[in-house]
Amino acid sequence: MKKSMLFTGVVYTLVGCVFLFCGIVLNTKINSILWGLAGAGIGPGVFLICKYLYWSQPKNTAKYVDKMENEEIEQHDERKEMLRNKTGRVMAFVNLAMTSLALIVFSILNEMEVIIYAKPMVIACAIYFNVQICLQIVIFKALEKKY
């Protein structure tokens, strides 16, 4: 197991703790964001540290070597590389289309003086993010079945 995983986990955890401290001490309008960033740092940080500690134990080294060999084979499988490339091309098109549509919609709403607050833009960005992740998974699975 690489030491960089442990270092990354410690850094994530420390950054999360800084945001947690700021969320506790400061009383601002962005407290909810600070709490979210604290969770986003502490959660993955603790996970990476635990993962490092688990795979670093002598009884797990043989399993870890096998796991890394399988990941290396999977990573360089020509069929999966082709599927990842095709997924990337499809997602690039979808991202471009969605961004263009969002710009048109926000422009129209701005011209009609509908947008007073930024809430609709935040909701649209959240939907965009979730759709992007879901489409990547769905398209890859569909291409994997097809080929």
Side-chain angles (χ1 to χ4, degrees):
M1 177 66 35
K2 295 180 180 179
K3 289 262 187 197
S4 64
M5 184 177 285
L6 176 64
F7 178 73
T8 304
V10 169
V11 169
Y12 276 24
T13 305
L14 290 175
V15 169
C17 288
V18 167
F19 283 119
L20 180 64
F21 178 76
C22 290
I24 292 171
V25 172
L26 302 176
N27 190 16
T28 65
K29 292 182 178 181
I30 62 168
N31 264 4
S32 58
I33 295 172
L34 293 174
W35 285 98
L37 290 172
I42 293 172
V46 169
F47 176 76
L48 286 173
I49 292 170
C50 292
K51 191 174 175 181
Y52 174 81
L53 294 175
Y54 175 79
W55 289 115
S56 295
Q57 293 177 357
K59 66 179 183 179
N60 296 327
T61 45
K63 287 193 288 186
Y64 179 71
V65 170
D66 289 341
K67 179 182 176 209
M68 294 311 295
E69 287 175 1
N70 288 336
E71 282 184 15
E72 185 68 26
I73 291 169
E74 287 288 321
Q75 202 66 1
H76 296 293
D77 181 22
E78 291 177 13
R79 179 178 164 272
K80 293 214 176 185
E81 281 186 28
M82 185 262 311
L83 293 174
R84 278 192 297 270
N85 290 339
K86 200 165 208 159
T87 302
R89 285 193 299 272
V90 171
M91 286 309 303
F93 174 76
V94 170
N95 287 337
L96 181 63
M98 287 183 66
T99 304
S100 299
L101 182 63
L103 287 171
I104 292 169
V105 168
F106 290 144
S107 296
I108 291 171
L109 291 174
N110 186 39
E111 290 300 317
M112 295 174 63
E113 296 178 1
V114 173
I115 296 181
I116 298 171
Y117 302 104
K119 188 175 181 179
M121 288 187 278
V122 172
I123 292 170
C125 289
I127 291 170
Y128 172 76
F129 180 77
N130 289 315
V131 168
Q132 181 181 4
I133 291 173
C134 292
L135 281 177
Q136 283 179 334
I137 295 167
V138 169
I139 291 169
F140 183 81
K141 295 289 183 186
L143 290 174
E144 191 173 33
K145 286 181 183 177
K146 184 177 179 180
Y147 294 100

